[in-house]
Amino acid sequence: MTLKELTLRSFRNYTDNTFEFSDKINVLYGHNGAGKTNILEAIYMLGNGVSFKTRLDREIIQNGQDNYFIRGVFREDDLVYDTNIEIIYQKKQKKVFIDKKEIQARKNFIGRILYVIFLPNDTELVTDEPQLRRDYFNMIISTISAEYLKAIIEYNKILKMRNSMINSKPNEAFIYNEKIANLAIYISSINKQYSKILEDKMNEIYKEIFNKDNPYTIKYNSTIEDIQTESEYIKKLENTLKEQIKLRTTYFGIHRADYQFFYKDSLSKKFSSQGEKRMFTLIMKLATEKIFSEYRKKIPILLIDDAMLELDNYRRDSILEYIKTLGQVFITVTEKEKVKNFESGKIFDIANL
């Protein structure tokens, strides 16, 4: 999958610009604040519907305007025709169109365009709250499995209704027990499976790049490890109802799950250096690219926003050489000498567009 052309109107600092891209390396060069990351943001939105910077569309609009427009022309690997995706925001409403047909639900849009994005704050996946890790794994699995995406949406809906019942009519909360148990057992088993898949791919890629064996381990903690069946789950929901009422919530379950990341058998969150955490997330993103390629049979687009910080020259150059062997890449750089690493690609001097 490749992005052939991108058009931006009243989007951030772009008034009316159209870019034609290489199907391999695209280097966005310029000083901080020139608008490099804004291009990555627009591409991300074409595959996800929302920005990685903000949830407020009004913050995306160019100063002095009241709307924005994004269009991407994509060529999918197995098709001979192009796919046009447009996002139009006007009159405080956002609409998404694929080949001029409006998409009514975001769930019908996610996963159509495959991408993997590298951001400077990616180390938060290692260091910050479990919700970030849950969201990341949900993204990976939902991109591959529509059944899983449906299950996650339904689980969150039922959990919300059950928690509301606990606070209003707690003796009737049981009506949701069977369904939430069924979904939780399924979601937990799939997450365990993909934790192992991601771990194996990370070690495979690390060996390919650095010729060293298996430094990474991922452990999934669902908070229901002692439960094997739906009946056991329902029994725990029933037996702990008093505690749930006291806490005013369903206090255990896959919505409280976490993932522990290990580097050379040490918990990365506590014991890894900043450079090791950066390396962990970079390798994890590359493993995600590999998983998407193999399971979806489509090569994702890579978006790389100054994500090589804290790495020494050897590790940074080794990863960049590996990235060159993959699909279409968009990478931002601020130092002109780094452009030389991509002389075979298409270079955009953002400050002089």
Side-chain angles (χ1 to χ4, degrees):
M1 177 172 294
T2 57
L3 174 60
K4 295 174 60 178
E5 184 178 289
L6 175 69
T7 298
L8 304 177
R9 294 181 192 142
S10 302
F11 182 89
R12 298 288 188 182
N13 63 319
Y14 294 99
T15 301
D16 189 353
N17 297 79
T18 297
F19 306 88
E20 295 183 359
F21 297 121
S22 163
D23 60 1
K24 294 300 292 182
I25 301 290
N26 295 276
V27 181
L28 309 174
Y29 162 70
H31 58 78
N32 289 329
K36 307 182 301 298
T37 304
N38 296 343
I39 294 176
L40 300 189
E41 179 185 23
I43 298 171
Y44 179 93
M45 290 181 66
L46 289 168
N48 196 49
V50 296
S51 165
F52 57 75
K53 289 183 177 182
T54 179
R55 297 292 178 181
L56 301 176
D57 284 287
R58 65 175 180 270
E59 294 182 357
I60 297 172
I61 302 170
Q62 188 179 44
N63 288 337
Q65 302 299 318
D66 58 5
N67 60 79
Y68 69 76
F69 173 84
I70 312 170
R71 177 194 291 128
V73 181
F74 294 86
R75 172 62 56 86
E76 299 192 49
D77 304 336
D78 55 346
L79 300 177
V80 296
Y81 57 86
D82 296 334
T83 298
N84 284 267
I85 299 180
E86 296 177 340
I87 299 178
I88 301 172
Y89 181 81
Q90 58 187 0
K91 297 182 180 179
K92 298 182 180 181
Q93 288 189 328
K94 179 165 59 181
K95 295 182 179 182
V96 177
F97 298 86
I98 298 181
D99 292 332
K100 302 300 181 181
K101 182 179 180 180
E102 184 175 358
I103 304 302
Q104 299 295 335
R106 185 165 170 256
K107 67 180 181 180
N108 298 327
F109 175 54
I110 294 175
R112 179 63 183 267
I113 304 301
L114 295 183
Y115 60 85
V116 175
I117 185 166
F118 299 72
L119 295 170
N121 63 352
D122 277 344
T123 53
E124 292 176 358
L125 285 168
V126 176
T127 61
D128 284 17
E129 64 272 13
Q131 184 68 51
L132 290 176
R133 293 180 282 280
R134 290 196 296 269
D135 288 347
Y136 191 76
F137 272 86
N138 284 337
M139 179 278 296
I140 292 175
I141 306 170
S142 296
T143 299
I144 296 168
S145 170
E147 180 183 3
Y148 182 86
L149 175 60
K150 180 181 178 182
I152 280 291
I153 293 172
E154 189 172 4
Y155 178 90
N156 289 331
K157 179 181 177 181
I158 292 174
L159 177 66
K160 184 177 180 180
M161 292 190 294
R162 188 178 188 279
N163 285 339
S164 178
M165 190 69 77
I166 286 173
N167 288 290
S168 59
K169 300 177 181 179
N171 291 330
E172 297 182 21
F174 72 90
I175 64 176
Y176 298 108
N177 288 358
E178 183 177 348
K179 188 60 178 178
I180 207 168
N182 173 271
L183 290 167
I185 294 295
Y186 166 74
I187 291 168
S188 177
S189 67
I190 297 298
N191 272 274
K192 288 178 183 177
Q193 176 185 342
Y194 274 88
S195 296
K196 181 60 176 172
I197 290 172
L198 186 62
E199 174 188 309
D200 289 345
K201 290 299 179 187
M202 288 178 66
N203 287 317
E204 176 185 315
I205 290 170
Y206 191 87
K207 183 175 178 62
E208 182 176 347
I209 295 174
F210 300 110
N211 197 30
K212 295 180 181 178
D213 289 326
N214 304 339
Y216 298 122
T217 305
I218 298 175
K219 294 183 179 179
Y220 174 65
N221 176 10
S222 68
T223 76
I224 58 169
E225 277 75 14
D226 57 327
I227 297 173
Q228 302 299 321
T229 65
E230 291 179 30
S231 60
E232 290 175 350
Y233 198 108
I234 293 171
K235 186 175 181 180
K236 184 169 182 176
L237 287 170
E238 294 171 344
N239 292 343
T240 60
L241 183 58
K242 288 184 178 179
E243 290 91 337
Q244 295 171 57
I245 294 171
K246 183 178 180 180
L247 295 170
R248 304 176 64 84
T249 189
T250 308
Y251 67 87
F252 68 90
I254 52 94
H255 58 286
R256 297 291 177 88
D258 197 5
Y259 305 79
Q260 292 180 308
F261 298 153
F262 294 84
Y263 174 66
K264 295 182 178 179
D265 298 324
S266 294
L267 185 63
S268 291
K269 183 174 183 177
K270 290 186 176 181
F271 302 108
S272 291
S273 67
Q274 187 67 12
E276 289 167 344
K277 292 170 184 173
R278 173 72 61 202
M279 180 63 71
F280 190 104
T281 56
L282 284 168
I283 298 296
M284 183 167 67
K285 295 297 184 75
L286 292 174
T288 302
E289 189 274 344
K290 184 74 71 176
I291 290 170
F292 286 170
S293 295
E294 292 184 7
Y295 284 78
R296 286 288 303 272
K297 307 300 181 185
K298 295 181 180 180
I299 300 174
I301 297 169
L302 296 185
L303 309 175
I304 307 173
D305 186 26
D306 201 15
M308 305 298 175
L309 302 173
E310 295 103 19
L311 297 185
D312 58 47
N313 290 337
Y314 166 70
R315 287 181 173 82
R316 182 172 59 247
D317 291 345
S318 296
I319 288 178
L320 290 176
E321 285 302 312
Y322 174 81
I323 286 171
K324 290 178 183 178
T325 69
L326 303 177
Q328 189 180 33
V329 178
F330 295 83
I331 184 167
T332 67
V333 298
T334 55
E335 300 174 25
K336 197 164 187 176
E337 56 268 25
K338 291 183 180 179
V339 172
K340 297 177 182 177
N341 295 329
F342 303 100
E343 289 177 344
S344 60
K346 194 168 183 179
I347 297 171
F348 297 84
D349 186 349
I350 299 302
N352 295 309
L353 291 176

